[in-house]
Amino acid sequence: MAQYPQRVFSGVQPTGNLHLGNYLGAITRFVSLQETHECIYCVVDLHAITVPQNPADLARNIREVTAAFIACGVDPERHIVFNQSQVAEHAELAWVFNCVARMGWLNRMTQFKEKAGRDRENASVGLYAYPTLMAADILVYRATHVPVGDDQKQHLELARDIAQKFNNDFSASIAERGHGDEFFPLPEPLIQGPATRVMSLRDGSKKMSKSDPSDYSRINLMDSAETIAQKVRKAKTDPDALPSEVDGLSGRSEADNLVGIYAALSGGGKPDVLREYGGRNFSEFKNALVELAVQKLGPIGAEMRRLNSDPSYIDQVLRNGSSRARVIAAENMTAVRDILGFVR
Ligand code: TRP
């Protein structure tokens, strides 16, 4: 097995309305990985256009995700933050991967089935090919580690299958060109644990989502302190007091969710939270949760608003990140073209 330098890559769609689920489920992990790895974080605008987008909204959402990264503590100078469309090698390698991946592999993708729904004939070809672009995002940097939510696990397995098939199909050419046994690493998912899965405040069985019609189902990163307080106070609970042990949360999905949010925001575990709040009623616990949420999210929201008022700074961050990403992508893509036998 070839050795690859450890490199983290992940992507976030510019879909607007970033919420607590995105923060606890993904962005905090992005921030902590910066201490141990070289990281590349990408706003995946090419993925966004697999469904219709309004150009003005898309531009705003690209800047907003970038602002969220920075406000949450991603450092765009030590690491790379950029938007996908500005590095053409993503789309180029995706084409190569469209020719490596098999129809049968893509036909198994559950996210396509969900997103295309009943009207599959009318889904874009891009939505179908989405996973090959995602594989290209990762592998154009030969990234080794990919922090994602568990809904992306299947796509990551596909990326590994594509990397492996490419390495096999072209093994002779790869070796001939001095790359050893294989050109692409098999990227490893860093799956967020269930502890960081944030559920809707209105229904503890559904994930917190930006597409939920009720804004009370989620806490947005740019919500004001008053809005956060209102949403937490209105969050669905049950009539019982909090249990003292984690076992006592089973079958109480709303209670479990609020305790999980408190634990994640405070950096502790659910047992720590229950040690402190076991036996107390929800109104008391919710007051504590409001205080903690406002303390943690208030500064992030304020920083996002500040950054959003200065788009030229954000644009400069993205341009700088893109040009650094392009250097790595271009080198790998040149090697891929050579491996494939394209004459230059
Ligand atoms: N598909 C991912 C999502 O919807 C976003 C994404 C695109 C991504 N490219 C990626 C994630 C590469 C990790 C690595 O959440």
Side-chain angles (χ1 to χ4, degrees):
M1 259 271 280
Q3 284 297 308
Y4 299 89
Q6 295 207 346
R7 177 179 281 155
V8 165
F9 181 95
S10 196
V12 172
Q13 289 219 34
T15 44
N17 243 352
L18 285 164
H19 54 71
L20 185 64
N22 304 117
Y23 175 65
L24 293 176
I27 306 179
T28 51
R29 187 77 180 277
F30 292 3
V31 172
S32 65
L33 282 164
Q34 297 183 114
E35 300 309 315
T36 49
H37 290 75
E38 175 198 342
C39 302
I40 303 177
Y41 295 129
C42 182
V43 183
V44 292
D45 48 11
L46 294 175
H47 278 97
I49 63 164
T50 56
V51 296
Q53 297 288 337
N54 168 298
D57 293 342
L58 181 61
R60 185 170 36 77
N61 290 336
I62 292 166
R63 294 191 179 106
E64 194 179 304
V65 173
T66 309
F69 281 168
I70 297 168
C72 293
V74 171
D75 181 344
E77 306 211 330
R78 277 173 54 223
H79 300 275
I80 294 179
V81 175
F82 75 108
N83 56 326
Q84 191 183 23
S85 59
Q86 302 308 301
V87 180
E89 285 80 1
H90 288 247
E92 186 179 358
L93 186 59
W95 177 258
V96 174
F97 287 171
N98 281 340
C99 302
V100 172
R102 307 289 91 185
M103 296 281 286
W105 299 0
L106 287 175
N107 287 339
R108 285 197 287 275
M109 296 294 116
T110 56
Q111 186 172 296
F112 173 75
K113 292 178 198 167
E114 277 164 26
K115 286 200 183 172
R118 270 167 275 110
D119 194 9
R120 204 178 288 189
E121 292 288 306
N122 197 35
S124 70
V125 175
L127 190 66
Y128 182 71
Y130 182 115
T132 60
L133 177 59
M134 179 165 160
D137 297 339
I138 300 163
L139 293 169
V140 82
Y141 302 100
R142 298 206 279 179
T144 54
H145 293 83
V146 184
V148 281
D150 59 0
D151 62 323
Q152 295 299 312
K153 211 171 150 183
Q154 194 183 35
H155 288 161
L156 215 49
E157 273 156 21
L158 187 89
R160 294 167 63 91
D161 289 344
I162 290 174
Q164 191 153 38
K165 182 160 159 57
F166 181 95
N167 289 340
N168 280 332
D169 290 355
F170 300 102
S171 60
S173 185
I174 288 168
E176 228 168 88
R177 288 169 200 285
H179 300 295
D181 293 344
E182 52 197 26
F183 184 71
F184 289 119
L186 305 187
E188 277 181 45
L190 302 172
I191 304 281
Q192 262 69 61
T196 50
R197 230 173 108 97
V198 180
M199 312 307 280
S200 158
L201 299 180
R202 310 296 306 161
D203 177 350
S205 68
K206 284 201 304 202
K207 255 175 84 167
M208 186 175 283
S209 160
K210 63 125 206 151
S211 50
D212 193 310
S214 168
D215 200 49
Y216 277 94
S217 69
R218 63 185 158 260
I219 295 175
N220 302 307
L221 291 185
M222 286 200 290
D223 280 346
S224 66
E226 299 88 274
T227 305
I228 293 175
Q230 263 174 15
K231 288 177 174 178
V232 170
R233 297 219 165 89
K234 282 206 161 93
K236 190 175 166 201
T237 51
D238 55 47
D240 298 334
L242 282 164
S244 324
E245 306 282 333
V246 175
D247 285 351
L249 292 170
S250 70
R252 299 177 66 185
S253 55
E254 283 84 16
D256 188 29
N257 187 37
L258 293 184
V259 170
I261 290 172
Y262 191 103
L265 284 173
S266 66
K270 289 180 191 174
D272 303 313
V273 180
L274 295 179
R275 207 167 299 126
E276 198 173 342
Y277 292 99
R280 315 271 195 97
N281 57 31
F282 272 106
S283 61
E284 221 175 317
F285 178 62
K286 281 180 169 179
N287 285 336
L289 182 55
V290 167
E291 200 178 312
L292 178 63
V294 168
Q295 179 202 326
K296 293 284 171 181
L297 299 181
I300 292 173
E303 179 68 356
M304 279 180 72
R305 274 186 289 274
R306 193 183 70 80
L307 290 166
N308 284 339
S309 70
D310 184 6
S312 67
Y313 169 73
I314 295 289
D315 294 2
Q316 181 206 313
V317 164
L318 291 173
R319 271 198 301 274
N320 174 280
S322 299
S323 68
R324 286 152 63 212
R326 212 175 285 131
V327 172
I328 307 171
E331 188 184 329
N332 288 331
M333 199 60 222
T334 299
V336 168
R337 283 189 223 104
D338 289 348
I339 289 166
L340 291 166
F342 293 158
V343 175
R344 58 163 150 154

